Amino acid sequence: MSKRPGFFDFDTPFFYPVWRRYAVVTVLFLWALFELYAGAVTWAIIFFGLGIIAAVKMYQTDWSAVKQDDLDDQEK
């Protein structure tokens, strides 16, 4: 039985390609800049915080274990 990913559960096979990880973090930071430019400081802080959380969690994830889990699930 595979585990169900949560909201900030980045250790899924979808995020195994490096470009997807960078894209998610980049989009969050760019959206924060857009909100800041639009004058919505509160939303800018929220998206900036989400970008930091996403970057830290993706940095801390053991991607070799994610790949191995995905291979194990495919074998079953």
Side-chain angles (χ1 to χ4, degrees), residues 3-67:
K3 94 177 184 180
R4 184 175 167 203
F7 185 67
F8 276 109
D9 188 18
F10 294 115
D11 58 345
T12 61
F14 177 80
F15 289 110
Y16 189 70
V18 176
W19 71 269
R20 287 184 184 162
R21 291 179 250 162
Y22 283 118
V24 167
V25 173
T26 303
V27 166
L28 287 169
F29 285 129
L30 288 176
W31 196 261
L33 289 175
F34 169 75
E35 292 291 350
L36 192 61
Y37 175 74
V41 177
T42 303
W43 283 109
I45 292 170
I46 289 170
F47 279 100
F48 186 71
L50 288 173
I52 290 173
I53 291 169
V56 168
K57 286 199 169 252
M58 287 190 195
Y59 178 75
Q60 292 175 345
T61 300
D62 182 14
W63 294 104
S64 61
V66 172
K67 186 172 186 177

